[in-house]
């Protein structure tokens, strides 16, 4: 089957391309702030139906998904941004981290946004884990230095707790000694 060169043929091709994008995408009318169209990748990813997304106010959809913005979008007329980092809570309760992009477009004197989402949850979780490990290693290093520096046992215990709070970013800390014969821990 050939592609028609007519305007309706081009519109059908554009619709087919949009519908088959592997990246979650939506078209939003900037005048009415209404979601006009979403692709299958977005409905599958969100776990929502076309009816739950199309013809809805973009603010209502964002509220329903619990968007938690992590970086303020750049201001432009009409607003445009690329790889804006955001977090959202999906209807199944899971939290996902995305790069959100909005590209302004116009057609028949109407302004639209082509909105795309890229799931970067794995990257964000890996960065968080690396941060936690760095914090742990810094805490252990400081505890080792404290053990070498502090001579008095009571001062040592207090200093180790102080290090855990300061470098480990804990809200509270306590030490216990393990009694091997009774298999119990006794706070000191």
């Amino acid at each position: 089957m050939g592609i028609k060169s007519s305007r309706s043929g081009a519109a059908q091709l554009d619709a087919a391309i949009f519908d088959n994008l592997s990246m979650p995408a939506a078209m939003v009318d900037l005048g009415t702030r209404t979601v006009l169209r979403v692709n299958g990748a977005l409905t599958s990813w969100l776990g929502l139906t076309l009816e739950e997304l199309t013809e809805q106010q973009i603010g209502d959809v964002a509220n329903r998904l619990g968007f938690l913005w992590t970086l303020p979008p750049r201001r432009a007329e009409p607003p445009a941004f690329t790889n804006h980092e955001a977090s959202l809570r999906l209807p199944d309760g899971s939290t996902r981290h995305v790069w959100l992009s909005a590209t302004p477009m116009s057609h028949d004197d109407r302004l639209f946004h082509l909105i795309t989402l890229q799931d970067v949850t794995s990257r964000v979780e890996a960065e968080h884990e690396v941060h936690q490990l760095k914090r742990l290693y810094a805490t252990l290093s400081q505890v080792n230095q404290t053990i070498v520096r502090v001579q008095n046992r009571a001062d040592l215990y207090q200093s180790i707790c102080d290090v855990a709070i300061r470098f480990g970013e804990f809200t509270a800390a306590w030490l216990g000694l393990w009694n091997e014969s009774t298999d119990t821990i006794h706070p000191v």
Side-chain angles (χ1 to χ4, degrees), residues 42-154:
L42 183 64
T43 58
S44 295
W45 191 73
L46 293 176
L48 297 172
T49 65
L50 285 171
E51 294 76 25
E52 292 174 300
L53 293 169
T54 54
E55 301 304 320
Q56 304 295 316
Q57 291 291 304
I58 189 65
D60 294 340
V61 172
N63 288 337
R64 182 174 183 186
L65 295 174
F67 265 90
L68 313 165
W69 300 103
T70 55
L71 296 173
R74 172 174 64 90
R75 290 283 181 213
E77 290 299 327
F81 44 88
T82 302
N83 294 341
H84 171 80
E85 195 167 323
S87 299
L88 59 106
R89 188 169 318 282
L90 297 183
D92 68 5
S94 65
T95 299
R96 306 303 292 171
H97 305 281
V98 296
W99 281 345
L100 180 70
S101 297
T103 305
M105 308 174 109
S106 64
H107 179 70
D108 293 335
D109 294 327
R110 290 173 66 191
L111 289 174
F112 302 92
H113 259 159
L114 170 61
I115 297 175
T116 57
L117 294 111
Q118 182 178 358
D119 189 346
V120 293
T121 303
S122 298
R123 178 191 62 85
V124 170
E125 289 173 350
E127 287 174 355
H128 180 70
E129 189 173 322
V130 166
H131 173 74
Q132 286 181 310
L133 287 172
K134 284 182 179 180
R135 192 178 74 202
L136 174 64
Y137 292 139
T139 303
L140 290 174
S141 174
Q142 291 299 319
V143 166
N144 284 336
Q145 290 178 24
T146 301
I147 290 170
V148 170
R149 228 181 29 251
V150 179
Q151 300 298 318
N152 178 309
R153 189 174 284 223

Side-chain angles (χ1 to χ4, degrees), residues 135 139 142 149 160-170:
R135 192 178 74 202
T139 303
Q142 291 299 319
R149 228 181 29 251
I160 289 173
C161 288
D162 292 343
V163 165
I165 290 170
R166 195 164 96 229
F167 289 93
E169 299 175 17
F170 297 103

